[in-house]
Amino acid sequence: MSEAHPYRSRNAQGVMDTCGSLRAADVGRTVTISGWVNRRRDHGGLIFLDLRDHYGITQAVIEPDEAAFAETDKCRNEWVVTITGPVVARSTETKNKDLPTGDVEIRIASLKVQSQAQELPLPVFGDLDYPEDVRLKYRFLDLRRERLHKNIMLRSNIIRSLRQRMFDQGFTEFQTPILTASSPEGARDFLVPSRRYPGQFYALPQAPQQFKQLIQVAGFDRYFQIAPCFRDEDGRADRSPGEFYQLDVEMSFVTQDDVFAMAEPVLQGVFEEFAGDRKVDKGPYPRIAYDEALLKYGSDKPDLRNPILISDVSDVFARDDVEFKAFKNKTVRAIPGPGAGPQPRSFFDKLNEWARGEGAAGLGYVILEDENGTITGKGPIAKFIPAPALAELTKRCGVKAGDALFFSADAKEERAAKIAGLARTRLGQELKLIEEGTFRFCWVVDYPMYEWNEDEKMIDFSHNPFSMPQYDREKFLGFSSADKDEILKLKVFQYDIVCNGYEMLSGAIRNRDPEVMIKAFQIAGHPAEETEEKFGGMLNAFRYGAPPHGGLAIGLERVVMLLAGEENIREVTMFPLTQQGQDLLMGAPSDVLPKQLKELHLRVVMPEAK
RNA sequence: GGGGGCGUAGCUCAGUUGGUUAGAGUGACGGCCUGUCACGCCGUAGGUCGCGGGUUCGAGCCCCGUCGCUCCCGCCA
């Protein structure tokens, strides 16, 4: 016979007893469980301890004449203790139906204090909000609290589910290097100085992009990885500074449709598994061309829960019978405000003020009313829009009496579209039109390959330079700077999945043609030698038999955020950095010893004080 | 790099028009209480009002600067 376990007993089936495991069936057993004192209630003689561990909460009780009373009396919140005693049934009136263990309690026969706790800088009990810096400095306490504890467990379960779904589709997981080479495109790199090669640096990968493509060239076919990615860029509520994880995927001999067919069930499945009572859109997801997304939703991240659709009405305001000068020769986008007609004047003034804050000249509007069966317009600019033009507007935008129609106008099309998109979101929120408790997905496809950089008067890559253009190869190789207009119209096989306005997934069919890649970079102003030097490893691989391939990456934290119902990425990250990129718990970044700098052949030059 | 918000007891917050000794709840500590589960009751301690400077007879409050956290813009192939 083995001796009793010092911290946790087991039942007859060999199952470990925890603070969450005891039920009516355990009544009569003597058990040992360990955990934190969640709450202590002292009734004079009678003391209750709620003991908490990862698995749940169990009430323990002791009376004054018992041997362990003095030791129990000393216990305070968040001390770690081990208790041993019989499991007893609670009387009907004293059962706690809010706890799974609420039918029973443990009578404390002995209690051992494993660890005491000082006065807490952050109470574990209760669900108050605390300042971010305190929460981060004492993350280990915050993680004991139900909200974070649940979120982190959800994250782990989502990762397990994603892995299983990938294995089920015949994918293999491989690890790619963390210490790698700096890549000049994209985000700022995190650099790691080399000890053996003075003046040279490793870089942490911004993504395993080139490696996963090399894995395809190496013939492994369906690859995936829960991959850490490092980018030295500033944070946002939905974007960690420094590091994040993605489900990174690549596969060979596939078309864009093959990738879609693989990705949809994975996302769909994981959302259905963890959505609870929230609704999950059924695939196949609608495919929205990039240009269409910008027009109808004013964003390349359309939130389909919002029913408002934007229309282009530039031509209506260009008509001779419409005399509103402020909109002439501009891109004008119309944003319907369903049911906004009865809103008070202040509603419209507030929106106008908000639009100015976003950098627009304003947000014009007409309120649509029914006058003897005809729709008429009211409001400051209504008098400039004669009846036939108004009829055209209402028809095109699908608005009716009782609605309002808002206008975003700008000489620059992108600005008009962007403000319209922001107004669409804002109106959806203000008018409470955004469907709740639903996950709505869509693909955004046919991204432009290039965009015009007005400041530097040159052509830039608009997104990923490694995507395959949708093109005629010979014509592409023959492009010159005279073909600017045609070049700017080129689309690529690149695609995103957007869920409720968040970018969830991003991918592409890759460009595996060295000649085309060098030409593509030439068009963006990078000479062939430079491309050869920067991407030599991958280009060279493409010269020795590269399969057609494509893939994607799913932002893990975004998926967890949405499923956890959180709006901040730190709530789903175990040990996050602050928005300023500091680790308040471990104290990173930090100074290092002069000896370490010397080994690395580094000298620090502090920025000059102002 | 730029803009907004916040910073008062261990924690969450209140603090009037610039005016006596800066308050409450919670936690801590002590006392009372045998069925609570946010237990209840009584008491005690606990403050560089983020920091520095200024205006004023007098500053938690007004002004300037600075630091920290946060949200946004830039940035994020």
Side-chain angles (χ1 to χ4, degrees):
Chain A
M1 291 298 288
S2 60
E3 281 183 31
H5 191 275
Y7 309 123
R8 282 171 166 164
S9 52
R10 289 179 182 271
N11 69 11
Q13 287 75 46
V15 177
M16 189 173 70
D17 296 314
T18 67
C19 297
S21 69
L22 301 176
R23 297 291 185 275
D26 295 294
V27 169
R29 294 179 52 220
T30 290
V31 299
T32 299
I33 59 172
S34 298
W36 288 260
V37 176
N38 193 54
R39 201 71 175 158
R40 172 184 186 275
R41 289 180 298 280
D42 180 354
H43 287 251
L46 190 67
I47 296 175
F48 294 101
L49 289 188
D50 289 344
L51 205 60
R52 182 196 72 241
D53 66 9
H54 175 70
Y55 306 96
I57 292 178
T58 293
Q59 174 169 286
V61 64
I62 191 164
E63 296 189 17
D65 50 354
E66 313 245 11
F69 185 82
E71 197 66 4
T72 306
D73 193 35
K74 286 196 302 198
C75 291
R76 292 295 180 270
N77 287 350
E78 298 308 313
W79 287 25
V80 176
V81 301
T82 298
I83 63 173
T84 298
V87 179
V88 301
R90 299 207 212 175
S91 66
T92 316
E93 323 82 68
T94 63
K95 285 182 178 172
N96 184 344
K97 56 185 183 319
D98 296 330
L99 285 182
T101 61
D103 287 349
V104 299
E105 63 192 8
I106 298 177
R107 299 212 160 250
I108 302 172
S110 69
L111 179 146
K112 178 165 170 49
V113 174
Q114 305 287 2
S115 173
Q116 301 189 0
Q118 300 177 10
E119 188 171 354
L120 300 165
L122 187 149
V124 173
F125 179 79
D127 54 3
L128 278 173
D129 248 337
Y130 297 98
E132 199 79 27
D133 47 346
V134 176
R135 293 183 57 198
L136 291 173
K137 183 165 179 194
Y138 298 97
R139 193 65 170 178
F140 48 90
L141 292 178
D142 205 13
L143 285 164
R144 287 181 197 169
R145 287 151 51 92
E146 190 181 1
R147 174 184 175 185
L148 272 190
H149 208 86
K150 250 171 65 184
N151 286 352
I152 298 302
M153 286 307 295
L154 175 66
R155 179 187 176 121
S156 177
N157 289 328
I158 285 172
I159 290 175
R160 177 170 50 188
S161 170
L162 285 170
R163 274 211 169 92
Q164 193 56 53
R165 288 168 200 283
M166 296 307 291
F167 289 138
D168 290 347
Q169 287 206 41
F171 284 82
T172 314
E173 184 165 21
F174 300 110
Q175 281 71 49
T176 51
I178 302 298
L179 293 175
T180 180
S182 175
S183 108
E185 292 297 313
R188 198 177 289 120
D189 280 320
F190 277 104
L191 297 178
V192 179
S194 161
R195 171 179 56 83
R196 296 189 60 170
Y197 302 94
Q200 301 197 336
F201 296 82
Y202 302 94
L204 307 183
Q206 297 183 22
Q209 178 71 35
Q210 295 189 55
F211 288 113
K212 71 174 171 181
Q213 293 193 238
L214 290 168
I215 287 171
Q216 299 311 304
V217 177
F220 285 98
D221 207 332
R222 298 161 85 90
Y223 143 92
F224 85 98
Q225 179 182 199
I226 306 292
C229 304
F230 305 91
R231 296 177 191 178
D232 188 5
E233 299 292 349
D234 292 342
R236 283 290 183 278
D238 65 347
R239 203 175 77 203
S240 300
E243 59 180 73
F244 62 94
Y245 280 79
Q246 62 187 32
L247 170 63
D248 196 51
V249 180
E250 197 76 5
M251 51 217 272
S252 291
F253 304 110
V254 290
T255 64
Q256 180 168 290
D257 284 337
D258 293 328
V259 179
F260 285 16
M262 168 264 139
E264 279 188 5
V266 171
L267 261 193
Q268 174 90 31
V270 80
F271 268 78
E272 279 174 353
E273 184 175 349
F274 297 102
D277 51 10
R278 292 164 293 183
K279 271 197 337 221
V280 182
D281 246 8
K282 291 278 176 223
Y285 305 142
R287 299 180 189 185
I288 303 171
Y290 176 85
D291 290 343
E292 184 190 350
L294 250 43
L295 172 63
K296 288 190 183 168
Y297 306 95
S299 165
D300 60 355
K301 299 200 276 280
D303 184 350
L304 297 191
R305 295 171 306 164
N306 183 341
I308 297 173
L309 291 178
I310 301 164
S311 304
D312 186 83
V313 294
S314 311
D315 59 319
V316 178
F317 283 91
R319 287 159 53 148
D320 290 340
D321 62 337
V322 179
E323 292 180 30
F324 193 50
K325 289 206 182 64
F327 284 6
K328 289 285 178 196
N329 300 316
K330 288 185 178 166
T331 298
V332 186
R333 295 282 155 87
I335 312 103
Q343 293 285 345
R345 175 67 191 250
S346 60
F347 174 85
F348 298 92
D349 290 346
K350 246 174 64 191
L351 274 168
N352 196 47
E353 200 177 308
W354 161 83
R356 287 167 177 274
E358 295 289 341
L363 199 66
Y365 64 92
V366 288
I367 296 168
L368 303 162
E369 295 182 350
D370 187 312
E371 223 165 74
N372 305 318
T374 315
I375 290 191
T376 58
K378 293 280 179 306
I381 69 170
K383 60 177 177 289
F384 299 107
I385 309 172
L390 187 70
E392 174 65 23
L393 285 176
T394 55
K395 185 181 148 209
R396 197 179 297 178
C397 304
V399 287
K400 55 186 191 313
D403 296 345
L405 199 54
F406 296 83
F407 302 102
S408 157
D410 201 287
K412 285 187 182 158
E413 185 182 337
E414 312 86 78
R415 285 197 54 76
K418 188 187 152 206
I419 297 292
L422 293 171
R424 172 179 178 269
T425 301
R426 174 101 185 182
L427 281 167
Q429 287 164 353
E430 299 266 339
L431 298 171
K432 304 204 180 340
L433 299 172
I434 297 178
E435 199 182 341
E436 286 183 25
T438 305
F439 296 108
R440 306 278 313 261
F441 298 88
C442 62
W443 289 99
V444 176
V445 298
D446 299 336
Y447 279 78
M449 182 153 186
Y450 296 106
E451 63 191 14
W452 182 246
N453 182 333
E454 188 57 44
D455 296 337
E456 294 175 35
K457 305 285 178 207
M458 57 179 284
I459 293 173
D460 271 350
F461 282 112
S462 69
H463 292 88
N464 185 330
F466 304 114
S467 303
M468 180 71 99
Q470 306 178 14
Y471 69 151
D472 177 321
R473 183 177 186 271
E474 298 316 313
K475 197 169 158 192
F476 184 85
L477 291 175
F479 274 141
S480 74
S481 53
D483 301 311
K484 178 186 145 195
D485 289 345
E486 204 169 339
I487 289 171
L488 289 174
K489 278 187 206 147
L490 267 180
K491 307 296 185 208
V492 284
F493 288 109
Q494 186 179 325
Y495 34 82
D496 283 9
I497 285 184
V498 176
C499 175
N500 294 1
Y502 288 95
E503 181 188 315
M504 289 275 97
L505 172 158
S506 195
I509 298 298
R510 317 297 174 187
N511 183 353
R512 63 189 164 92
D513 185 328
E515 247 181 289
V516 171
M517 192 174 291
I518 284 168
K519 178 70 185 180
F521 275 94
Q522 270 175 350
I523 290 173
H526 304 282
E529 311 77 62
E530 183 193 323
T531 307
E532 199 72 57
E533 186 188 337
K534 285 175 180 173
F535 304 107
M538 202 168 65
L539 276 177
N540 208 25
F542 290 165
R543 293 186 175 112
Y544 293 92
H549 61 284
L552 55 88
I554 296 178
L556 183 70
E557 284 88 355
R558 298 261 174 89
V559 173
V560 181
M561 250 172 88
L562 274 179
L563 285 168
E566 295 286 0
E567 290 187 353
N568 193 297
I569 204 145
R570 286 185 297 276
E571 304 300 334
V572 297
T573 307
M574 212 160 191
F575 299 107
L577 300 175
T578 68
Q579 195 181 41
Q580 280 75 26
Q582 287 186 302
D583 179 339
L584 299 180
L585 176 58
M586 303 299 283
S590 61
D591 292 330
V592 295
L593 298 173
K595 174 173 173 270
Q596 291 174 292
L597 289 178
K598 194 168 177 231
E599 276 175 349
L600 294 168
H601 325 287
L602 292 179
R603 188 172 296 140
V604 175
V605 182
M606 297 301 277
E608 285 176 37
K610 275 200 298 192

